[in-house]
Short mmCIF file of all heavy atoms in Angstrom, two decimals:
data_model
loop_
_atom_site.label_atom_id
_atom_site.label_comp_id
_atom_site.label_asym_id
_atom_site.label_seq_id
_atom_site.Cartn_x
_atom_site.Cartn_y
_atom_site.Cartn_z
N ASN E 69 -54.77 -30.39 -28.11
CA ASN E 69 -55.23 -30.88 -29.48
C ASN E 69 -56.58 -30.42 -29.81
O ASN E 69 -57.10 -30.79 -30.89
CB ASN E 69 -55.18 -32.43 -29.38
CG ASN E 69 -53.88 -33.05 -29.38
OD1 ASN E 69 -52.92 -32.39 -29.71
ND2 ASN E 69 -53.71 -34.36 -28.92
N GLY E 70 -57.21 -29.59 -29.04
CA GLY E 70 -58.57 -28.97 -29.28
C GLY E 70 -59.62 -29.97 -29.08
O GLY E 70 -60.72 -29.85 -29.60
N GLU E 71 -59.48 -31.04 -28.26
CA GLU E 71 -60.49 -32.06 -28.11
C GLU E 71 -61.66 -31.60 -27.10
O GLU E 71 -62.58 -32.25 -27.02
CB GLU E 71 -59.89 -33.33 -27.61
CG GLU E 71 -58.98 -34.02 -28.59
CD GLU E 71 -58.21 -35.27 -27.96
OE1 GLU E 71 -58.59 -35.75 -26.94
OE2 GLU E 71 -57.03 -35.47 -28.47
N ASN E 72 -61.42 -30.52 -26.41
CA ASN E 72 -62.32 -29.93 -25.33
C ASN E 72 -62.88 -31.00 -24.44
O ASN E 72 -64.04 -31.16 -24.34
CB ASN E 72 -63.47 -29.32 -26.06
CG ASN E 72 -63.12 -28.02 -26.69
OD1 ASN E 72 -62.04 -27.49 -26.59
ND2 ASN E 72 -64.05 -27.33 -27.41
N PRO E 73 -61.98 -31.75 -23.76
CA PRO E 73 -62.46 -32.81 -22.86
C PRO E 73 -63.07 -32.23 -21.59
O PRO E 73 -62.81 -31.13 -21.19
CB PRO E 73 -61.12 -33.49 -22.45
CG PRO E 73 -60.18 -32.48 -22.67
CD PRO E 73 -60.49 -31.59 -23.78
N GLU E 74 -64.02 -32.99 -21.05
CA GLU E 74 -64.66 -32.81 -19.81
C GLU E 74 -63.78 -33.33 -18.74
O GLU E 74 -63.60 -34.55 -18.68
CB GLU E 74 -66.05 -33.21 -19.65
CG GLU E 74 -67.18 -32.57 -20.75
CD GLU E 74 -67.49 -31.25 -20.12
OE1 GLU E 74 -67.16 -30.96 -18.93
OE2 GLU E 74 -68.03 -30.54 -21.01
N LEU E 75 -63.15 -32.55 -17.94
CA LEU E 75 -62.16 -33.08 -17.04
C LEU E 75 -62.49 -32.68 -15.52
O LEU E 75 -62.90 -31.48 -15.34
CB LEU E 75 -60.77 -32.47 -17.26
CG LEU E 75 -60.15 -32.87 -18.60
CD1 LEU E 75 -59.03 -32.00 -18.79
CD2 LEU E 75 -59.75 -34.18 -18.61
N THR E 76 -62.50 -33.59 -14.71
CA THR E 76 -62.76 -33.41 -13.31
C THR E 76 -61.46 -32.82 -12.60
O THR E 76 -60.47 -32.97 -13.27
CB THR E 76 -63.25 -34.60 -12.53
OG1 THR E 76 -62.14 -35.56 -12.47
CG2 THR E 76 -64.43 -35.39 -13.10
N THR E 77 -61.66 -32.26 -11.40
CA THR E 77 -60.40 -31.85 -10.81
C THR E 77 -59.36 -32.97 -10.68
O THR E 77 -58.00 -32.79 -10.88
CB THR E 77 -60.77 -31.24 -9.41
OG1 THR E 77 -61.71 -30.26 -9.54
CG2 THR E 77 -59.62 -30.77 -8.53
N ARG E 78 -59.84 -34.05 -10.40
CA ARG E 78 -58.93 -35.24 -10.10
C ARG E 78 -58.28 -35.74 -11.39
O ARG E 78 -57.19 -36.26 -11.36
CB ARG E 78 -59.92 -36.41 -9.55
CG ARG E 78 -59.03 -37.55 -8.82
CD ARG E 78 -59.97 -38.56 -8.23
NE ARG E 78 -60.78 -37.94 -7.24
CZ ARG E 78 -60.26 -37.84 -5.76
NH1 ARG E 78 -59.09 -38.30 -5.60
NH2 ARG E 78 -61.04 -37.29 -4.92
N GLN E 79 -58.84 -35.45 -12.46
CA GLN E 79 -58.42 -35.99 -13.87
C GLN E 79 -57.27 -35.01 -14.33
O GLN E 79 -56.54 -35.28 -15.17
CB GLN E 79 -59.38 -36.07 -14.97
CG GLN E 79 -60.41 -37.34 -14.59
CD GLN E 79 -61.58 -37.24 -15.55
OE1 GLN E 79 -62.10 -36.30 -15.78
NE2 GLN E 79 -61.88 -38.43 -16.09
N LYS E 80 -57.21 -33.85 -13.80
CA LYS E 80 -56.30 -32.75 -14.37
C LYS E 80 -55.01 -32.76 -13.66
O LYS E 80 -53.91 -32.40 -14.17
CB LYS E 80 -56.91 -31.43 -14.27
CG LYS E 80 -58.07 -31.09 -15.24
CD LYS E 80 -58.31 -29.67 -15.43
CE LYS E 80 -59.08 -29.12 -14.19
NZ LYS E 80 -59.53 -27.65 -14.28
N HIS E 81 -55.01 -33.08 -12.35
CA HIS E 81 -53.67 -32.91 -11.51
C HIS E 81 -53.65 -34.01 -10.38
O HIS E 81 -54.70 -34.61 -10.04
CB HIS E 81 -53.68 -31.72 -10.75
CG HIS E 81 -53.71 -30.46 -11.58
ND1 HIS E 81 -54.78 -29.82 -12.02
CD2 HIS E 81 -52.71 -29.67 -12.10
CE1 HIS E 81 -54.57 -28.82 -12.74
NE2 HIS E 81 -53.14 -28.69 -12.84
N THR E 82 -52.55 -34.38 -10.14
CA THR E 82 -52.26 -35.17 -8.84
C THR E 82 -51.35 -34.36 -7.99
O THR E 82 -50.80 -33.30 -8.39
CB THR E 82 -51.49 -36.49 -9.26
OG1 THR E 82 -50.14 -36.12 -9.75
CG2 THR E 82 -52.24 -37.32 -10.16
N ARG E 83 -51.31 -34.65 -6.67
CA ARG E 83 -50.63 -33.97 -5.67
C ARG E 83 -49.63 -34.97 -4.99
O ARG E 83 -50.03 -36.06 -4.56
CB ARG E 83 -51.47 -33.27 -4.73
CG ARG E 83 -52.39 -32.15 -5.39
CD ARG E 83 -52.89 -31.28 -4.36
NE ARG E 83 -53.74 -30.34 -4.96
CZ ARG E 83 -53.27 -29.18 -5.41
NH1 ARG E 83 -52.00 -28.81 -5.31
NH2 ARG E 83 -54.10 -28.22 -5.93
N GLU E 84 -48.35 -34.59 -4.91
CA GLU E 84 -47.40 -35.34 -4.15
C GLU E 84 -46.83 -34.67 -3.00
O GLU E 84 -46.40 -33.48 -3.17
CB GLU E 84 -46.14 -35.61 -5.12
CG GLU E 84 -46.48 -36.52 -6.46
CD GLU E 84 -45.39 -36.73 -7.24
OE1 GLU E 84 -44.35 -36.31 -7.01
OE2 GLU E 84 -45.57 -37.28 -8.46
N CYS E 85 -46.81 -35.35 -1.90
CA CYS E 85 -46.47 -34.54 -0.61
C CYS E 85 -45.27 -35.36 0.02
O CYS E 85 -45.24 -36.58 0.17
CB CYS E 85 -47.59 -34.61 0.42
SG CYS E 85 -49.22 -34.06 -0.22
N TYR E 86 -44.33 -34.53 0.36
CA TYR E 86 -42.99 -35.16 1.04
C TYR E 86 -43.09 -34.49 2.37
O TYR E 86 -42.87 -33.30 2.46
CB TYR E 86 -41.79 -34.78 0.21
CG TYR E 86 -41.80 -35.51 -0.99
CD1 TYR E 86 -42.51 -34.92 -2.15
CD2 TYR E 86 -41.12 -36.72 -1.29
CE1 TYR E 86 -42.46 -35.60 -3.43
CE2 TYR E 86 -41.25 -37.48 -2.49
CZ TYR E 86 -41.77 -36.75 -3.68
OH TYR E 86 -41.92 -37.46 -4.78
N VAL E 87 -43.24 -35.41 3.46
CA VAL E 87 -43.38 -34.89 4.79
C VAL E 87 -42.40 -35.45 5.72
O VAL E 87 -42.13 -36.69 5.72
CB VAL E 87 -44.86 -35.40 5.24
CG1 VAL E 87 -45.18 -35.03 6.64
CG2 VAL E 87 -45.98 -34.94 4.31
N VAL E 88 -41.80 -34.58 6.59
CA VAL E 88 -40.97 -35.04 7.72
C VAL E 88 -41.83 -34.79 8.97
O VAL E 88 -42.34 -33.90 9.36
CB VAL E 88 -39.87 -34.00 7.71
CG1 VAL E 88 -38.92 -34.33 9.04
CG2 VAL E 88 -38.89 -34.00 6.56
N ALA E 89 -42.04 -36.09 9.51
CA ALA E 89 -42.89 -36.18 10.75
C ALA E 89 -42.03 -35.90 11.95
O ALA E 89 -40.87 -36.26 12.06
CB ALA E 89 -43.63 -37.45 10.73
N GLU E 90 -42.74 -35.33 13.01
CA GLU E 90 -42.07 -35.19 14.35
C GLU E 90 -41.82 -36.63 14.85
O GLU E 90 -42.50 -37.63 14.52
CB GLU E 90 -42.86 -34.51 15.24
CG GLU E 90 -43.18 -32.99 14.89
CD GLU E 90 -42.08 -32.03 15.28
OE1 GLU E 90 -41.11 -32.55 15.72
OE2 GLU E 90 -42.28 -30.91 15.12
N GLU E 91 -40.84 -36.76 15.72
CA GLU E 91 -40.38 -38.18 16.17
C GLU E 91 -41.65 -38.63 17.02
O GLU E 91 -42.13 -37.91 17.92
CB GLU E 91 -39.20 -38.01 17.09
CG GLU E 91 -38.65 -39.36 17.47
CD GLU E 91 -37.24 -39.38 18.19
OE1 GLU E 91 -36.69 -38.25 18.05
OE2 GLU E 91 -36.92 -40.22 18.93
N GLY E 92 -42.12 -39.84 16.71
CA GLY E 92 -43.21 -40.41 17.52
C GLY E 92 -44.57 -40.01 17.00
O GLY E 92 -45.56 -40.35 17.48
N ALA E 93 -44.59 -39.22 15.94
CA ALA E 93 -46.01 -38.73 15.41
C ALA E 93 -46.63 -39.96 14.83
O ALA E 93 -46.08 -40.81 14.29
CB ALA E 93 -45.76 -37.59 14.44
N ASP E 94 -48.02 -39.74 14.76
CA ASP E 94 -48.83 -40.78 14.14
C ASP E 94 -48.93 -40.52 12.64
O ASP E 94 -49.70 -39.69 12.10
CB ASP E 94 -50.24 -40.73 14.83
CG ASP E 94 -51.24 -41.80 14.32
OD1 ASP E 94 -50.89 -42.36 13.24
OD2 ASP E 94 -52.32 -42.03 14.92
N LYS E 95 -48.16 -41.10 11.92
CA LYS E 95 -48.06 -40.89 10.46
C LYS E 95 -49.34 -41.25 9.70
O LYS E 95 -49.73 -40.51 8.69
CB LYS E 95 -46.88 -41.72 9.85
CG LYS E 95 -45.47 -41.27 10.34
CD LYS E 95 -44.49 -42.15 9.70
CE LYS E 95 -43.06 -41.65 10.16
NZ LYS E 95 -42.07 -42.41 9.63
N ALA E 96 -50.03 -42.28 10.29
CA ALA E 96 -51.38 -42.63 9.56
C ALA E 96 -52.36 -41.50 9.67
O ALA E 96 -53.00 -41.17 8.73
CB ALA E 96 -51.94 -44.00 10.11
N ARG E 97 -52.38 -40.93 10.86
CA ARG E 97 -53.25 -39.76 11.15
C ARG E 97 -52.94 -38.65 10.24
O ARG E 97 -53.83 -37.91 9.69
CB ARG E 97 -53.30 -39.46 12.61
CG ARG E 97 -54.11 -38.15 12.78
CD ARG E 97 -53.89 -37.69 14.25
NE ARG E 97 -52.55 -37.25 14.57
CZ ARG E 97 -51.88 -36.22 14.26
NH1 ARG E 97 -52.42 -35.30 13.41
NH2 ARG E 97 -50.55 -36.06 14.58
N ILE E 98 -51.61 -38.35 10.19
CA ILE E 98 -51.08 -37.16 9.36
C ILE E 98 -51.51 -37.43 7.91
O ILE E 98 -52.09 -36.45 7.30
CB ILE E 98 -49.55 -36.99 9.51
CG1 ILE E 98 -49.20 -36.61 10.92
CG2 ILE E 98 -49.04 -35.89 8.49
CD1 ILE E 98 -47.83 -36.52 11.31
#
């Protein structure tokens, strides 16, 4: 729209991760 916003890295994108953990792995640490 030509608004020329000031955007931080965080305001422009999000990241979604889909992870298969090894059996018994510490998911919280990962």
Side-chain angles (χ1 to χ4, degrees):
N69 289 339
E71 295 172 22
N72 287 357
E74 291 289 343
L75 297 169
T76 64
T77 298
R78 200 174 292 275
Q79 288 171 322
K80 288 193 291 184
H81 300 90
T82 60
R83 295 194 179 277
E84 294 176 8
C85 309
Y86 293 85
V87 180
V88 179
E90 299 276 7
E91 196 173 337
D94 183 345
K95 292 180 180 178
R97 174 190 56 77
I98 292 170

